[in-house]
Amino acid sequence: LLDLFCEYTGEMDANLQFDFAQFLLKGKMYTQLAEAIEEMDEDVQHRLLDKAFEMNDPELFRLLKEHI
């Protein structure tokens, strides 16, 4: 089911995309987040960058750098 969500991330509205990303972050599911980031709206990607600063999460910074 998680793979299906990752595959169709681009079809979700921005709020659901961000909620899904936060769910993946809480579970430290960075592989799945990497798959979904490229499909997310640009504003959601920017919100994730803000979240990375807030969390001071080097892994999230790395993923964002590689996928946006």
Side-chain angles (χ1 to χ4, degrees):
L1 187 57
L2 192 54
D3 290 335
L4 187 62
F5 269 96
C6 289
E7 185 176 330
Y8 288 98
T9 301
E11 304 297 320
M12 299 176 193
D13 72 12
N15 290 325
L16 185 55
Q17 287 179 6
F18 188 70
D19 290 344
F20 180 54
Q22 289 190 101
F23 168 77
L24 294 173
L25 282 172
K26 285 182 184 180
K28 305 247 184 239
M29 295 179 242
Y30 293 109
T31 303
Q32 290 84 359
L33 183 58
E35 294 174 25
I37 285 175
E38 293 178 7
E39 300 300 320
M40 292 180 179
D41 293 346
E42 188 175 325
D43 65 312
V44 176
Q45 292 172 344
H46 289 114
R47 288 171 66 187
L48 281 174
L49 185 57
D50 292 340
K51 187 75 171 174
F53 280 109
E54 178 185 313
M55 295 173 59
N56 195 25
D57 186 335
E59 183 66 17
L60 182 54
F61 282 120
R62 184 189 64 74
L63 283 176
L64 292 168
K65 181 181 176 187
E66 289 178 5
H67 295 283
I68 60 172

